[in-house]
Amino acid sequence: MNKLRVAYFAFSEQYGAKHAGFTHSFNIVSSLSKILKIKAFFYSENKIETNLDITSVVFPSFKNLFIASPLKYIKSYFLVKKKIKDVDLLHERFHVNPIDLLFIKKKPYVLEVNDPAMIFHDSFLYRFLINLKIKRCNCIITQTKTLKEILSKYTNKPIYVVANGVDTLIFRPNIKSDIRKKYGINNYGVLVVYVGAFMKWHGGLDVVKLARTFPEVKFL
């Protein structure tokens, strides 16, 4: 049986950056490469050295619009166009630039939306570009039921919840840490740690409810 061939667009994610956007995208590509053929495209001014099929591209954004050479934009366009000729499906990690739409044409197009951008950006241009992509995509994937409920108010397209996973080689029950000693909470049997922003769709208020329900548990 032939493996599904997928192109993963992460045009706005700086390859190797120390933030959640890159980590999330890179691990999706790394994991999916084990079960299908995936070609990924990340933002980078340099050639990317990796065992995965990842190509560096440079497309305009608000940050580099007047910095990067237009020649790099043109080169990246033709490079992507050439490399995705044989793919079966396009998967985009949402970003504002509509450049992705130039490559889609008749191919199935999955839009990965990790935050409800359409409700906290007042810019007409921003909302216009968001709607362009939503109208063109075949379906949307997002991480939580809360996000699905928010997004479903703005589109009738199918929305699938694909929860974030965890790297069990890094995060495991027997991991050694001095966090209890550091914060003086050695007397608590169970410690729950939350790291992230406190937006509605991140479930921050759920942590508060859990803390009230389980007073014997320490929440950090």
Side-chain angles (χ1 to χ4, degrees):
M1 183 176 178
N2 293 329
K3 290 184 178 181
L4 184 70
R5 297 166 297 183
V6 175
Y8 184 90
F9 294 160
F11 293 156
S12 63
E13 297 301 332
Q14 174 74 50
Y15 187 85
K18 303 295 183 181
H19 62 69
F22 169 72
T23 300
H24 175 92
S25 299
F26 180 81
N27 280 286
I28 284 180
V29 173
S30 179
S31 297
L32 288 180
S33 67
K34 299 173 184 177
I35 58 174
L36 49 79
K37 292 183 178 180
I38 186 165
K39 298 179 180 180
F41 302 86
F42 283 82
Y43 179 90
S44 178
E45 296 276 356
N46 305 308
K47 183 179 179 181
I48 296 172
E49 300 293 341
T50 175
N51 294 328
L52 301 171
D53 189 348
I54 298 179
T55 301
S56 60
V57 294
V58 177
F59 287 118
S61 68
F62 293 122
K63 293 181 180 179
N64 72 352
L65 186 59
F66 301 106
I67 300 175
S69 166
L71 291 177
K72 291 184 178 181
Y73 303 154
I74 296 171
K75 181 180 178 181
S76 293
Y77 169 77
F78 285 106
L79 180 61
V80 174
K81 190 175 181 180
K82 178 181 179 181
K83 294 201 69 171
I84 67 170
K85 280 184 177 181
D86 63 342
V87 302
D88 303 306
L89 180 146
L90 302 177
H91 177 136
E92 177 200 341
R93 176 180 171 84
F94 176 80
H95 68 128
V96 185
N97 193 331
I99 191 75
D100 313 74
L101 299 177
L102 297 178
F103 302 113
I104 293 167
K105 296 184 178 180
K106 296 182 179 180
K107 293 182 184 291
Y109 170 40
V110 176
L111 187 62
E112 175 191 332
V113 182
N114 298 314
D115 62 62
M118 61 282 295
I119 66 172
F120 60 79
H121 285 284
D122 295 327
S123 166
F124 170 79
L125 177 60
Y126 198 104
R127 292 195 179 205
F128 174 74
L129 295 176
I130 291 172
N131 288 327
L132 270 183
K133 294 190 176 189
I134 289 178
K135 287 179 180 179
R136 178 57 186 83
C137 74
N138 296 88
C139 69
I140 296 170
I141 63 172
T142 192
Q143 300 140 309
T144 67
K145 291 181 180 179
T146 302
L147 276 172
K148 179 179 179 178
E149 290 174 2
I150 294 172
L151 295 171
S152 63
K153 296 177 182 178
Y154 297 87
T155 178
N156 292 322
K157 293 292 179 72
I159 303 174
Y160 301 97
V161 175
V162 182
N164 285 336
V166 61
D167 186 341
T168 54
L169 295 177
I170 299 175
F171 302 98
R172 57 191 189 278
N174 62 342
I175 191 170
K176 293 182 179 180
S177 171
D178 63 351
I179 191 170
R180 291 175 181 270
K181 181 179 179 181
K182 181 177 180 180
Y183 291 100
I185 48 179
N186 290 312
N187 295 330
Y188 288 87
V190 177
L191 173 63
V192 177
V193 180
Y194 174 81
V195 179
F198 286 92
M199 300 295 186
K200 179 182 177 181
W201 57 92
H202 290 149
L205 293 178
D206 293 333
V207 177
V208 176
K209 293 177 183 177
L210 286 170
R212 290 172 176 168
T213 305
F214 300 98
E216 70 279 11
V217 177
K218 187 71 172 180
F219 289 81
L220 179 59

